[in-house]
Amino acid sequence: MRPTLLNPLFSPVTSLTGIGPKLSIALTRLLRGGGGGGDGIEQAVVGDLLFHLPSGLIDRRNQPTIMDATEGTLSTIKVRIDRHQPSPRGNQRVPYRIYVHDDSGEMALVYFRGQSRWLESQYPVGETRFVSGRLEWFNGRANMIHPDYVVSEENFDDLPLVEPVYPLVSGVSLKIMHRSIANALEALPKLPEWIDASLLAKHHWPSVENALDQVHHPRDELDISPQSTAWKRLAFDELLAGQLALALVRSKMKKSAGRSWRGNGSKQQKILNALPFALTGAQQRSVKEILDDMAMPERMLRLLQGDVGSGKTIVALLACATAIEAGGQAALMAPTEILTRQHFATIQPLAEAAGIRLAVLTGREKGKEREAIYDQLANAEIDLVVGTHALFQTNVVFKNLAIGIVDEQHRFGVHQRLALASKGGGADILVMTATPIPRTLVLTYFGDMDVSKLDEKPAERLPIQTNALPMERLDELIDRVRGAVGRGEKVYWLCPLVEDSEELPITSAESRYKSLEQLMGQNVGLVHGRMKSADKDAAMLDFKEGRTRVLVATTVIEVGVDVPDATIMVIEHAERFGLAQLHQLRGRVGRGTQSSTCLLLYKAPLGEIAQDRIKIMRETEDGFRIAEEDLKLRGEGEILGTRQSGTPGFQIAQMEHHAELLEMARDNARLILNEDAELTGPHGDALRHLLYLHSKDEAVRLLRAG
Ligand code: ADP
Ligand code: MG
């Protein structure tokens, strides 16, 4: 159970004054990257606001005279009020002007549609005021249009000289953000200290409360730099929580002893014989590494890293075959229904050839059918089950599970998955990921796992030609697509959004589908995340089997979908996708024997980072290089879509600034668990607060006295 002390931080943001349902939706989109659309993302909570850290400053400390003020920069100027010049009656287009001066010269304060009553009360003639805003020159005269602040000398302290700026989203203004965060800070309880006193002292780290206060009420740039002691403390907390969670999962897994699984090779051989190709060297090496682990009496905890299309599925199947030869069962879990069906379809003929009894289990199998699968798993009448999260339900009991394989692709929920996977027996665990994560991140996401790499593409793969073109050339592109379809080729057409949105000037999948359908008719299909899963699968199948030739889609197709004869990938609004994502998407083509093209359609002008991304995409298909570059570019902190991209999976920590903190957190976690493996002492209790604060609930549940 989460400590009650933390409850205020886990209350929905609507519990704060001034936040209603509408604002909550906008904040959830900003802070959690979704919600509202049935995507399973829950309403943002108070704690999310606290960890939404500033991206910059508004600095009003500069106090020049009128003549010294630099045009366009924020200035706070002490002036005397000379006279008011209201808009002429009936002509609101001429602004209301207030003339003021200081010793250096004169300036006009300009208000469009200014309310005389209010302006007269704010600017009494003959008195002194501080005004803060941007000064501009027109026709040799100084103007300040709509000053941000006006205060009297006595009230100078009310003028915020330094204000933090936050990543925002439409519907959330900076003012609203300031107010919301101020209210969230009010709700922050006094938390127990979970960092060792010696560590705190050594690095001069403030308490959590002080650290949060400091970053949200900065006095200068230093306070909001990732290098500040406050930021570092908060980043360390986040990393420590992550490392502790991983260490807990791992030690739990190690405690349940593994078994040695050794096959006789018979089923493997049948599978290999049924394949129309030979394994690559990298596949052979990875299979060997996995089988060696399985033969050991310890539990296997291995990561199989391989770029999209590198052929992970077959490696997984061979591991399953070994488990089955040795008398055990195997489970393969995929993140989505589509992927599960696809794995099932790939594996079915091979399983049949090898005499492996195969079943599929997702949310779709219902009633008697489902019961039957449960029974057969419990009686070991099924050797291999492919499924979604449904595999982790309590009703699913294996008679003799030898290996659990989690096809993560590039979603990062690994701690949870591992925790779940560890619930039954001493099965070996293999996690597969399509993200060629750099070494530092492997450590972060997966902890000390053994790693096998598929760093070699299946032989006859042809390179993918990548081109970028601006929206203005859409017609040309459409002609090209029609030509390709005429020749019998298949085309993916990716759009960032499902439906049109009032806020974003972006063509959605639905409207692109409509316009392409008008041009090409029956040939065009549509698939997106808001469709029912049966409809999604039907659309995928139509495309796969050639009933449609152009598939308009959102990123639902991103994870692992395999249509080997698709040859063109159009990515519309390519500027809105991250590098890793572009790479994943491009990997949908170039899987067959024909040469393929990826066309990045972008809206000009491109920002610098978007330009860099596209350049890298054109230069290389090497997933490992792309991952490294992605990490570098993310460091720039560009706002991508709605969410500021930090290090993926983290709110506060940024690997390019905090890599050394990660190492420290790992060592510290190890030390902590050596001394108090179940986190039972007072320090342990404080650490449980930390784990809950960073939503590592699953990990705490692994503790005995949870
Ligand atoms: P991943 O899951 O790593 O993205 P898949 O396992 O889906 O990749 O494999 C992608 C495609 O490559 C599949 O069509 C598969 O049949 C094919 N494939 C796998 N291994 C080889 C190989 N050694 N030679 C040729 N094709 C292969
Ligand atoms: Mg795959």
Side-chain angles (χ1 to χ4, degrees):
M1 275 278 287
R2 181 195 301 140
T4 48
L5 183 65
L6 297 179
N7 285 351
L9 300 181
F10 284 88
S11 304
V13 285
T14 43
S15 67
L16 298 174
T17 40
I19 301 184
K22 210 170 149 205
L23 181 52
S24 166
I25 289 173
L27 281 171
T28 303
R29 192 147 32 92
L30 175 66
L31 302 169
R32 298 199 150 184
D39 54 10
I41 295 180
E42 286 179 33
Q43 197 184 146
V45 298
V46 173
D48 295 332
L49 278 168
L50 292 178
F51 292 135
H52 190 58
L53 303 190
S55 52
L57 281 187
I58 297 177
D59 188 344
R60 305 182 185 285
R61 285 173 297 177
N62 182 27
Q63 291 189 38
T65 62
I66 293 172
M67 288 301 149
D68 290 344
T70 312
E71 171 140 26
T73 60
L74 275 181
S75 309
T76 300
I77 308 180
K78 185 178 175 184
V79 296
R80 258 182 112 76
I81 321 296
D82 297 327
R83 64 191 170 90
H84 285 238
Q85 188 189 76
S87 311
R89 265 185 180 282
N91 189 356
Q92 289 276 324
R93 268 190 300 164
V94 178
Y96 191 119
R97 287 197 172 81
I98 300 154
Y99 292 94
V100 302
H101 77 272
D102 68 5
D103 290 344
S104 72
E106 205 190 32
M107 165 169 82
L109 308 177
V110 180
Y111 285 87
F112 291 92
R113 306 189 160 272
Q115 300 295 316
S116 319
R117 180 100 58 85
W118 183 77
L119 289 170
E120 275 159 18
S121 71
Q122 293 294 307
Y123 298 101
V125 172
E127 294 199 11
T128 303
R129 288 289 182 272
F130 284 93
V131 291
S132 188
R134 283 176 214 281
L135 190 136
E136 286 165 35
W137 289 85
F138 293 123
N139 302 328
R141 288 166 174 274
N143 290 277
M144 190 181 278
I145 300 169
H146 290 237
D148 303 323
Y149 289 95
V150 45
V151 296
S152 62
E153 279 181 283
E154 305 85 78
N155 294 335
F156 184 75
D157 287 346
D158 293 349
L159 201 163
L161 288 180
V162 175
E163 280 180 301
V165 181
Y166 297 89
L168 300 172
V169 69
S170 114
V172 184
S173 68
L174 190 57
K175 270 224 165 81
I176 292 178
M177 198 50 151
H178 282 158
R179 195 186 61 209
S180 305
I181 287 181
N183 287 338
L185 282 168
E186 293 274 316
L188 178 67
K190 171 96 192 80
L191 298 167
E193 183 55 76
W194 44 73
I195 298 184
D196 300 329
S198 59
L199 211 54
L200 279 181
K202 181 166 164 208
H203 298 282
H204 308 285
W205 286 339
S207 67
V208 196
E209 296 85 20
N210 288 344
L212 285 170
D213 192 66
Q214 195 172 319
V215 290
H216 290 301
H217 297 123
R219 287 154 304 165
D220 51 35
E221 278 84 9
L222 213 62
D223 281 342
I224 57 153
S225 138
Q227 298 295 351
S228 69
T229 51
W231 197 304
K232 279 189 170 173
R233 193 242 138 99
L234 297 172
F236 183 78
D237 279 355
E238 185 178 41
L239 294 168
L240 181 61
Q243 291 300 310
L244 268 178
L246 277 172
L248 285 169
V249 170
R250 226 165 22 236
S251 78
K252 167 87 179 179
M253 293 188 67
K254 286 267 149 72
K255 255 182 253 160
S256 51
R259 284 170 57 186
S260 158
W261 302 96
R262 244 184 250 276
N264 59 14
S266 59
K267 291 186 187 300
Q268 287 183 68
Q269 198 50 54
K270 287 186 183 134
I271 291 170
L272 291 174
N273 292 345
L275 286 176
F277 48 75
L279 296 189
T280 63
Q283 282 171 321
Q284 288 173 12
R285 196 182 62 232
S286 298
V287 170
K288 179 172 186 314
E289 286 165 357
I290 293 165
L291 299 197
D292 286 351
D293 273 7
M294 291 175 69
M296 304 286 253
E298 288 86 44
R299 284 185 89 170
M300 170 171 78
L301 196 47
R302 184 171 280 276
L303 182 67
L304 178 62
Q305 259 189 323
D307 213 346
V308 195
S310 58
K312 293 183 290 295
T313 317
I314 188 70
V315 173
L317 181 61
L318 290 169
C320 294
T322 304
I324 296 161
E325 285 164 13
Q329 291 167 290
L332 170 59
M333 196 193 88
T336 63
E337 175 99 28
I338 293 185
L339 265 179
T340 305
R341 299 281 158 196
Q342 183 180 295
H343 279 322
F344 183 69
T346 311
I347 291 173
Q348 203 168 28
L350 299 170
E352 206 168 287
I356 290 172
R357 293 165 298 176
L358 177 69
V360 63
L361 184 67
T362 70
R364 248 207 264 160
E365 283 66 39
K366 299 235 158 68
K368 284 224 170 72
E369 189 188 3
R370 198 176 184 88
E371 296 297 325
I373 295 173
Y374 289 159
D375 283 350
Q376 291 169 323
L377 283 172
N379 299 329
E381 286 159 18
I382 292 172
D383 302 312
L384 169 59
V385 61
V386 181
T388 55
H389 293 78
L391 287 181
F392 288 128
Q393 280 159 4
T394 41
N395 304 2
V396 180
V397 180
F398 292 89
K399 180 156 191 218
N400 196 10
L401 185 66
I403 186 168
I405 302 181
V406 185
D407 190 0
E408 276 287 332
Q409 299 294 344
H410 67 298
R411 306 199 169 191
F412 301 102
V414 177
H415 318 46
Q416 279 87 344
R417 303 285 156 74
L418 284 183
L420 286 164
S422 69
K423 77 175 183 179
D428 286 332
I429 300 290
L430 179 68
V431 177
M432 305 200 288
T433 165
T435 314
I437 315 165
R439 181 66 217 169
T440 43
L441 289 190
V442 170
L443 182 65
T444 333
Y445 292 121
F446 303 98
D448 291 331
M449 279 178 110
D450 300 308
V451 177
S452 294
K453 272 190 190 179
L454 292 181
D455 47 11
E456 182 183 343
K457 289 219 168 178
E460 75 269 33
R461 285 284 146 79
L462 296 165
I464 304 169
Q465 173 77 30
T466 301
N467 285 322
L469 61 172
M471 264 322 253
E472 285 73 40
R473 291 171 59 189
L474 179 65
D475 288 345
E476 193 183 312
L477 175 65
I478 289 179
D479 282 346
R480 194 160 160 187
V481 165
R482 283 169 103 167
V485 168
R487 290 190 299 275
E489 297 185 32
K490 288 184 185 170
V491 181
Y492 284 110
W493 191 302
L494 252 286
C495 297
L497 297 180
V498 176
E499 307 169 4
D500 285 342
S501 130
E502 283 175 19
E503 292 140 21
L504 298 167
I506 287 179
T507 322
S508 67
E510 283 181 345
S511 52
R512 179 58 67 213
Y513 167 71
K514 280 188 201 125
S515 66
L516 290 178
E517 198 194 22
Q518 276 185 352
L519 291 169
M520 288 181 238
Q522 302 282 302
N523 270 330
V524 187
L526 171 69
V527 62
H528 60 68
R530 298 219 191 126
M531 289 164 55
K532 289 210 199 82
S533 65
D535 297 341
K536 264 192 283 197
D537 294 352
M540 284 306 308
L541 208 64
D542 282 344
F543 185 59
K544 196 165 175 139
E545 296 180 352
R547 287 183 291 277
T548 54
R549 300 249 151 218
V550 178
L551 184 63
V552 179
T554 57
T555 52
V556 282
I557 65 141
E558 172 179 10
V559 248
V561 170
D562 195 24
V563 181
D565 58 348
T567 49
I568 298 182
M569 166 64 70
V570 177
I571 304 178
E572 189 162 350
H573 290 289
E575 76 280 0
R576 300 192 67 86
F577 292 96
L579 194 48
Q581 212 174 9
L582 288 173
H583 176 64
Q584 297 282 338
L585 291 170
R586 177 172 59 184
R588 302 295 113 228
V589 295
R591 301 187 140 217
T593 45
Q594 276 176 285
S595 66
S596 303
T597 326
C598 174
L599 298 163
L600 304 172
L601 194 56
Y602 64 86
K603 189 161 177 201
L606 280 180
E608 214 169 289
I609 293 183
Q611 268 177 39
D612 283 349
R613 284 198 200 113
I614 287 177
K615 179 163 164 282
I616 294 161
M617 283 293 289
R618 299 201 52 187
E619 271 172 24
T620 183
E621 277 184 63
D622 175 352
F624 286 91
R625 158 130 193 257
I626 287 180
E628 300 280 358
E629 299 284 351
D630 190 31
L631 200 64
K632 274 190 227 153
L633 289 182
R634 278 169 189 276
E636 314 290 318
E638 160 160 309
I639 296 168
L640 218 191
T642 52
R643 194 164 171 73
Q644 193 190 23
S645 51
T647 299
F650 291 86
Q651 283 176 290
I652 304 165
Q654 300 178 354
M655 279 318 125
E656 60 281 9
H657 296 295
H658 302 133
E660 85 289 1
L661 291 181
L662 173 61
E663 308 269 324
M664 274 170 58
R666 188 185 46 160
D667 295 345
N668 198 230
R670 213 173 271 163
L671 197 75
I672 288 166
L673 294 178
N674 274 343
E675 280 170 11
D676 181 8
E678 298 287 336
L679 300 183
T680 45
H683 185 201
D685 183 61
L687 285 160
R688 285 171 187 241
H689 283 75
L690 171 70
L691 286 168
Y692 278 111
L693 184 63
H694 286 283
S695 303
K696 305 293 180 209
D697 304 28
E698 290 291 347
V700 193
R701 254 171 240 146
L702 295 175
L703 294 167
R704 218 185 303 121

